[in-house]
Amino acid sequence: GAVVSQHPSRVICKSGTSVKIECRSLDFQATTMFWYRQFPKQSLMLMATSNEGSKATYEQGVEKDKFLINHASLTLSTLTVTSAHPEDSSFYICSAALLAGGLSTDTQYFGPGTRLTVL
Amino acid sequence: AQSVSQHNHHVILSEAASLELGCNYSYGGTVNLFWYVQYPGQHLQLLLKYFSGDPLVKGIKGFEAEFIKSKFSFNLRKPSVQWSDTAEYFCAVNARIGGYNKLIFGAGTRLAVHP
């Protein structure tokens, strides 16, 4: 149980184009999904918190107009990297929170990640 | 600022050796604590978690961790490692910051187990 998928797993695009990454919770409903970025040999950095039916909450330093997040349903959140540039190349990981009775007890389950390369 | 520190960046062990990975966090409020593992080429998987109750929690694959509140620590242990435990291990703290629950990760510890 608690499986999270991401699509695509790998994408290469030209500078200036936009890329959409999908995150799905396959066997549970997640009111909250999270988007992270992982640089090589580094830890995960939270980019934004996405709540179903409302606007995402972005971390300090993350451009909300560049990283558009949509959480249209309880099983799907999308991250769109707009006008991508080489410095946006990274590993993007989503997670979905499985609520266990209260805000203080949720557990995040992670997707396999999407490797974005911007040429 | 809230942070999670993992003291060992790289650990090399022989099979059957005992493992302890340190994790300390800085946050004064109520926290939930996690250890995640990332095997080579795979995604993050939950090893174990602590919400409340018995501070010694047991996870999958023979791992356990002990929450010591006075030391702000949540160290991961395994009595006898196997080659298949080679992976990167992340300690994480779920804390309510700015009205939202956030998962803050440590930098990770890369474990290599030699047969």
Side-chain angles (χ1 to χ4, degrees):
Chain A
V3 178
V4 178
S5 70
Q6 274 184 250
H7 179 80
S9 58
R10 190 180 296 266
V11 58
I12 301 172
C13 68
K14 292 182 179 180
S15 185
T17 61
S18 294
V19 174
K20 180 185 282 188
I21 303 170
E22 290 187 350
C23 176
R24 293 181 185 273
S25 57
L26 298 185
D27 51 2
F28 66 100
Q29 292 184 328
T31 55
T32 305
M33 290 184 171
F34 303 82
W35 287 95
Y36 295 84
R37 190 169 173 175
Q38 186 178 27
F39 291 100
K41 299 184 179 181
Q42 294 188 33
S43 188
L44 282 75
M45 299 298 295
L46 179 64
M47 297 175 65
T49 301
S50 166
N51 290 293
E52 186 264 339
S54 63
K55 290 183 179 180
T57 302
Y58 291 82
E59 294 301 295
Q60 194 171 9
V62 178
E63 298 177 60
K64 62 180 181 180
D65 294 330
K66 180 167 189 61
F67 298 100
L68 301 178
I69 291 172
N70 182 274
H71 192 161
S73 77
L74 289 173
T75 59
L76 173 64
S77 176
T78 60
L79 168 69
T80 301
V81 183
T82 62
S83 186
H85 291 284
E87 59 264 30
D88 299 324
S89 298
S90 191
F91 195 53
Y92 293 89
I93 303 172
C94 76
S95 73
L98 182 61
L99 300 183
L103 287 174
S104 63
T105 55
D106 55 315
T107 299
Q108 291 184 32
Y109 293 88
F110 286 82
T114 297
R115 171 85 50 201
L116 170 64
T117 303
V118 184
L119 303 176
Chain B
Q2 297 80 16
S3 64
V4 177
S5 298
Q6 289 182 241
H7 315 299
N8 314 99
H9 296 295
H10 289 93
V11 173
I12 301 173
L13 294 173
S14 298
E15 274 194 318
S18 64
L19 170 72
E20 179 159 3
L21 302 181
C23 173
N24 286 87
Y25 65 94
S26 64
Y27 182 71
T30 301
V31 295
N32 297 322
L33 301 158
F34 303 82
W35 275 96
Y36 286 90
V37 59
Q38 189 172 30
Y39 297 102
Q42 296 188 29
H43 62 284
L44 280 169
Q45 299 174 37
L46 181 66
L47 262 185
L48 48 79
K49 59 187 177 183
Y50 172 79
F51 288 161
S52 64
D54 189 343
L56 183 63
V57 292
K58 295 190 184 298
I60 60 172
K61 305 186 180 186
F63 286 90
E64 64 177 32
E66 185 175 11
F67 171 51
I68 304 179
K69 189 174 181 179
S70 60
K71 295 184 177 180
F72 296 88
S73 70
F74 190 55
N75 292 354
L76 180 71
R77 299 194 291 251
K78 185 171 184 178
S80 176
V81 295
Q82 300 172 312
W83 175 79
S84 58
D85 294 323
T86 295
E88 187 149 21
Y89 293 81
F90 293 94
C91 179
V93 171
N94 193 21
R96 194 158 184 86
I97 303 168
Y100 296 92
N101 282 1
K102 295 181 183 180
L103 199 58
I104 302 168
F105 282 86
T109 297
R110 196 171 293 270
L111 171 67
V113 180
H114 294 298

